[in-house]
Amino acid sequence: MVEDKNVKKGKFRQSFTLLSMGLASIVLFGMLLCFGAVDIPLSAVITALRGGNPDSTESIIVLQSRLPMAVAALISGSALSVSGLLLQTTFRNPLAGPSLLGVSSGASLGVALIMLGASSIGLHIASDMWMAITGALIGAGAVIILLLLFSSVLKNPVMLLIAGVMISYLASSVISLLNFFAPSEDVKSFVVWGLGTLTAVRLDTLPLFALPPLLCIGASLLLVKPLNALLLGERYASSMGFSMTRLRTTLLLLSGLLTALVTAFCGPIGFIGLIVPHIARMATATSNHEVLIPATILCGAAMMLLCALCTVIPSAAGVMPINVVTPIFGVPVILYIILRRHKLNYFN
């Protein structure tokens, strides 16, 4: 009887948490549409979304600027958070995150190479969004391929994690070298891109940005059983009939694609993929991925929307880079995890 009560209490907590995160995402999404350099009443926002007064200034601001930014925040937060969750489960490491395996650094290296290569032949395309996206995808894709090759050779997940860290260091070193020789205006453009921004996603590019991450997130929902088995160790997962090589490759590919797609459009965004899975675990009090993945999706969306809202509130300074805000929320969570590590036995 006591066990039944505990189960019911746990399910109620999980349902309440999912509902709360969903409502928080909706409220923050609406606030992001209303607040900014020009405050727009909610009624005017609703009118703009319905298609009324399409030529009005308020409708143009909402549809051309704030709506793409809000959707970009919602999708990028969910994508990075799911990527972090997959990596933490794969490596059974609470401090594993999307930037740890070098995918973000690879994307940054791709952008740096595009900018420097163009400058060397007299072209200045550092501000060209499509060139930056192309470079980021190529760089991130190269790192993903390297990681997949390493995963077929390195059976130990710790060794694979170390290989990813080394790739990240190598990419960062090459980026520093390129920045040293690059013209100052290109260095400035690259630094601005590296600070992360959600304003690069426009209304016409929104479908291209949104669809691939949504497909990858949907694919992660189909991996609940192998992820739960992996929590109990690789031997247990293998005894359940899951091929560890195939599973690790799938998880690396999904997490890498999620990170690469977001980084290509928005730049390398830190902390979200690292902290949100922990917040979702603590809020739901479970490591069951059937609950944890939806909680991570909703929590990631809410967290990124909150960070995006913080970047537009001080409207006199314009829209701040997203990486100015994420450490404010990320560092306290990481410190809490480190200090309470012995009580947060997610992977034991």
Side-chain angles (χ1 to χ4, degrees):
M1 183 68 76
V2 175
E3 186 176 351
D4 290 341
K5 287 184 179 179
N6 290 336
V7 171
K8 289 181 179 180
K9 185 178 179 180
K11 289 184 177 181
F12 175 79
R13 176 175 179 173
Q14 294 162 9
S15 300
F16 178 78
T17 299
L18 291 173
L19 180 61
S20 299
M21 290 177 178
L23 290 175
S25 298
I26 294 172
V27 171
L28 290 168
F29 190 92
M31 292 176 66
L32 195 56
L33 294 179
C34 294
F35 297 118
V38 178
D39 290 340
I40 300 176
L42 182 59
S43 58
V45 171
I46 295 174
T47 300
L49 294 177
R50 285 181 169 181
N53 301 324
D55 298 326
S56 67
T57 302
E58 293 175 337
S59 294
I60 293 173
I61 292 174
V62 171
L63 296 178
Q64 299 296 327
S65 177
R66 295 186 182 176
L67 181 61
M69 182 179 180
V71 176
L74 190 149
I75 293 176
S76 61
S78 299
L80 291 175
S81 301
V82 171
S83 176
L85 175 63
L86 296 180
L87 290 175
Q88 288 172 12
T89 303
T90 301
F91 296 108
R92 297 171 58 81
N93 188 330
L95 296 180
S99 60
L100 192 63
L101 289 182
V103 178
S104 296
S105 296
S108 299
L109 177 58
V111 174
L113 286 170
I114 289 288
M115 291 180 179
L116 183 60
S119 300
S120 64
I121 59 174
L123 298 176
H124 295 283
I125 57 174
S127 60
D128 190 295
M129 182 192 69
W130 287 112
M131 293 302 295
I133 291 172
T134 301
L137 287 175
I138 292 173
V143 173
I144 292 173
I145 292 172
L146 278 176
L147 289 172
L148 293 177
L149 291 174
F150 279 129
S151 68
S152 63
V153 177
L154 301 174
K155 305 303 179 182
N156 189 328
V158 177
M159 292 296 103
L160 184 58
L161 187 62
I162 293 174
V165 173
M166 292 302 103
I167 292 173
S168 181
Y169 277 125
L170 180 60
S172 298
S173 177
V174 176
I175 289 171
S176 298
L177 183 64
L178 293 175
N179 281 331
F180 180 80
F181 290 104
S184 58
E185 62 270 19
D186 289 347
V187 173
K188 181 180 178 180
S189 297
F190 177 76
V191 170
V192 171
W193 176 85
L195 290 174
T197 179
L198 299 171
T199 59
V201 180
R202 301 194 302 260
L203 189 63
D204 57 334
T205 61
L206 191 57
L208 180 63
F209 168 75
L211 185 58
L214 289 176
L215 291 175
C216 292
I217 291 173
S220 69
L221 292 170
L222 302 176
L223 298 173
V224 169
K225 288 184 178 180
L227 286 169
N228 284 339
L230 199 57
L231 286 176
L232 300 175
E234 291 192 358
R235 289 185 178 180
Y236 179 82
S238 298
S239 68
M240 294 292 291
F242 298 111
S243 169
M244 291 312 304
T245 301
R246 188 181 304 168
L247 178 58
R248 193 184 299 117
T249 299
T250 302
L251 294 175
L252 282 176
L253 186 60
L254 276 179
S255 59
L257 284 174
L258 286 169
T259 304
L261 292 167
V262 173
T263 304
F265 279 85
C266 305
I269 298 176
F271 285 100
I272 296 297
L274 181 59
I275 66 171
V276 169
H278 293 290
I279 297 174
R281 288 189 190 96
M282 289 185 285
T284 58
T286 183
S287 293
N288 181 3
H289 286 80
E290 188 175 3
V291 176
L292 195 54
I293 293 179
T296 300
I297 293 170
L298 293 174
C299 184
M303 179 62 71
M304 187 65 87
L305 287 166
L306 177 60
C307 291
L309 187 61
C310 292
T311 65
V312 301
I313 286 178
S315 55
V319 180
M320 295 188 299
I322 196 71
N323 281 333
V324 174
V325 179
T326 52
I328 298 174
F329 297 100
V331 171
V333 175
I334 297 304
L335 292 177
Y336 178 80
I337 292 167
I338 293 173
L339 294 174
R340 304 272 294 182
R341 178 69 183 95
H342 63 286
K343 294 186 177 181
L344 300 176
N345 296 319
Y346 305 136
F347 309 102
N348 294 327

